[in-house]
Amino acid sequence: MSDINDQPTRRDFIHVASVSAAALGAACVAWPLIDQMNPAADTLALSTTEFDVSGVQEGMSVSVVWRGKPVFVRHRTKAEIEEAAAVELSDLPDPQTDADRTPRPEILVLLGVCTHLGCVPLGQKATDPKGEWGGWFCPCHGSHYDTSGRIRKGPAPTNLVIPPYKYISDDVIKIG
Amino acid sequence: MMGRPQKLIILLLTVLVTVPIATTARSAESVAFPTQEWSFNGPLGTFNRGELQRGFQVYKEVCATCHSLNFISFRNLTDLGFNENEVKAIAAEFQVEDGPNNEGDMFERAAIPSDMWPSPYPNDNAARASNNGALPPDLSLMVDARAGGADYLYALLSGYHETPQGKEIGEGMYYNAYYPGNQIAMPSPLVEDGVEYGDGTRATLVQQARDVTAFLAWATEPNMEQRKRMGVMVIIFLLVMTGLFYYSKKKIWSDVH
Amino acid sequence: MSSPKLTNPVARWIDHRLPVFTFLHHEMHEYPTPKNLNYWWNFGSLAGITLVIMIVTGIILSMHYTAHVDHAFQSVERIMRDVNYGWLIRYIHANGASFFFIVVYIHIFRGLYYGSYKAPRELLWMLGVVILLLMMATAFMGYVLPWGQMSFWGATVITNLFSAIPLVGESIVTLLWGGFSVDNPTLNRFFSLHYLLPFVIVGVVVLHIVALHRFGSNNPLGIDVRGDQDTVSFHPYYTVKDMFGLSVFLTIMAAVVFFLPNSMGHPDNYIPANPMVTPAHIVPEWYFLPFYAILRAVPDKLLGVLAMFAAIAVLFVLPWLDRSPVRSATFRPIYKIMFWVFLLDCVALTYLGAKPAEGIYVVLSRLCTVYYFAHFIILLPALSVFETPRSLPRSIGKSVLGGGNGIPAPAPAAAREKP
């Protein structure tokens, strides 16, 4: 009996139209239900951080929280800057010059998140292992970064990310 | 043959269900107050930006000395028609506490758009102590939090009259024609020409009452316009879908006897 | 159980090992349904869909809600102001609770009118009453979560009902609160249970449907199905009819959600909870009002609480109170009148529950309460003895109404379908 009753439903335009309307309605309802998981208005409003870099001593690193993640601000020594600048681009898995990575050579600003799977690399504290190239070392899966935060060895595919930032005065950077 | 009784039953049920709901929504002991025409009334109502900006000025210059606006942040003011630089300038007029800094101390800094509207008092007890024991309520939800909503707030703000003969008013209380019990701890906040509007509107007491009420309606539900706009489209869509399924149903059932 | 003709080889492979398609085909497609069901039968599936809407929006709200007395109110306002479409989802959930009760109450009164609780559907009915109880508990605890004034004082008053129990009452209330007043531990457990109970409801709904499919739907004539000529397959006949009903329902619900979203709420719940100040006039949500009226109608604390619970408990034994073998009120002239009087009584109780407990309202509440119980305990059993039902038609398909009341022989029962 049911098979016979199925027949008219396939042919009729009106049934196609009503089922399409229901499907369209369901699709429209889905969007708010998904979009609610995106950052809320108050979260988006908090997405910039300001930081005074003059407080960071030469040879020291400081971690700043930006969007819930650490940003590394390192006041590099002369030796570290020279070391970073001297590297041949052909030696790098992800070639990029040191000058491209920081507008002020002595202040390096990096997103402190390993590009492999998101751990925070070691190297901020004086006692931390800094890896074979004297930059940072990610303990999760053994990625080594140099003094410019570039990947040199290990599973991470790219250099440590430079967050969007600018100097809003001589010593204050605005991240985000 | 069953059409009419069924319709009657549906009508009856609708009335029976809605009447008690409508009566529960009204508080029993509140004083009757006149209804007003608001731009934000009705299914297509929107806010009037000029009214909102004037109302914001009244809130900022008059109400904000005692009443907090906890759920509004400076960035929300772009809804009133201010651009981002204007919002930054408004925020910068206020100092907010931040910290701790690297030395571990809290410090004051100029507010930025993402900051919430600063409260006039550090806590409720301080607010009570400065106001003769009465707590000035937060204003961010006033229109939804009072039976009668905007009409009531307007009536209250413009309802400070001479105390009628024979009415006893307690120490530190004021007569208000529309406040439940007619005795209110807040003195009349608005005075004729108490603020100077930038757009040339004359700041009469009722004009200020109207403007600040509209502003509070916005503060209560900043998403109201989006809600109503979306509602119109959703209802139109659902009516079309209802029509389609009505004919679908009729067609499918046409072979059943 | 016949198998559907599956053309997709993957579907056939799966169905051979796990007959989900056969099951769905049997229970939803070919499931024979009386062909004379009227629109009052839409409210069952409507209730199911509303439950799904409530669960989906509820899960989403819980992603943004904080169950802590210091943050609950604020987190709800953050949902309303900052979360993308948060206002929409919360308004659907808040008003959805009211619509859920409207739908379920209509569903219940339909069952009362057409005698759907009678043999062999007693367990089906009783499972439905269990669902109602679970809904009430869920709705009550959900209303506490925004931590407004009505939330707090509603929780205080309702949990205090248990203090009426002799000897152990006070201890039980302390246990429910997890403290010496309604406070953070109370809010936390209410949130936990408010999240759990809807899934318990889903479980009981499944049992409700299993019991329904055992004997199939009752119908407006209240007579048993005699064969294929009395039924149509559920799909497409009732799927399309349910979709039409759903569209109408959603239109009405959307009108409230988008244009009157706070009309069924109380202004005091937009004031943060304050344990020091009780609002002047506290009322429960409208769907609890009849029971609230019964509670207040009884001057004794313990008896009042018992009466309130008895008002629902009596529904469990309804199949044995109404002994009349005829199901549908269509053929029970006196019961039909009694049904409408009872409905009016319930509406009156709803109205009285919202009024202050003073003067004429108290008297009327008592009269209505007495009538509520008299209806079940005295009038219905008596009616089973005294009422002479009209003669029943022989079958749904050829519903020749007995007694020759002038309707021509092949009067189509489906004519009742017309909205």
Side-chain angles (χ1 to χ4, degrees), chain C residues 4-19 21:
Chain C
K5 287 197 198 93
L6 293 170
T7 47
N8 185 324
V10 178
R12 211 179 312 137
W13 187 91
I14 293 171
D15 199 61
H16 185 64
R17 286 151 183 84
L18 182 73
F21 298 106

Side-chain angles (χ1 to χ4, degrees), chain C residues 160-174:
Chain C
N160 262 317
L161 290 179
F162 293 91
S163 69
I165 302 168
L167 301 174
V168 291
E170 292 296 333
S171 315
I172 288 179
V173 173
T174 307

Side-chain angles (χ1 to χ4, degrees), chain C residues 284-354:
Chain C
E285 290 289 84
W286 70 267
Y287 37 80
F288 291 134
L289 289 174
F291 307 101
Y292 191 60
I294 290 174
L295 168 78
R296 295 193 308 184
V298 183
D300 180 81
K301 184 175 175 182
L302 176 61
L303 291 179
V305 174
L306 287 178
M308 189 180 72
F309 285 110
I312 298 169
V314 72
L315 293 173
F316 279 109
V317 288
L318 173 61
W320 295 275
L321 293 172
D322 180 1
R323 311 290 302 189
S324 168
V326 177
R327 291 195 191 104
S328 174
T330 312
F331 305 104
R332 300 183 62 190
I334 303 174
Y335 177 71
K336 193 191 259 178
I337 297 165
M338 263 179 55
F339 169 86
W340 291 110
V341 174
F342 177 70
L343 178 63
L344 269 177
D345 188 55
C346 291
V347 172
L349 282 169
T350 308
Y351 174 78
L352 293 166

Side-chain angles (χ1 to χ4, degrees), chain A residues 97-125:
Chain A
T97 64
D98 188 54
D100 282 347
R101 291 177 60 78
T102 173
R104 264 168 75 174
E106 61 277 18
I107 301 293
L108 179 67
V109 181
L110 298 169
L111 192 59
V113 175
C114 182
T115 57
H116 181 219
L117 292 171
C119 296
V120 176
L122 298 173
Q124 288 294 91
K125 278 187 286 186

Side-chain angles (χ1 to χ4, degrees), chain A residues 12 15 18 21 25 41-42 45, chain B residues 75 114 237 244-245 247-248 251-252:
Chain A
D12 272 308
H15 305 322
S18 42
D42 59 334
Chain B
R75 67 188 155 83
S114 62
F237 174 83
L244 287 171
F245 273 109
Y247 286 107
S248 241
K251 191 136 210 164
I252 286 179

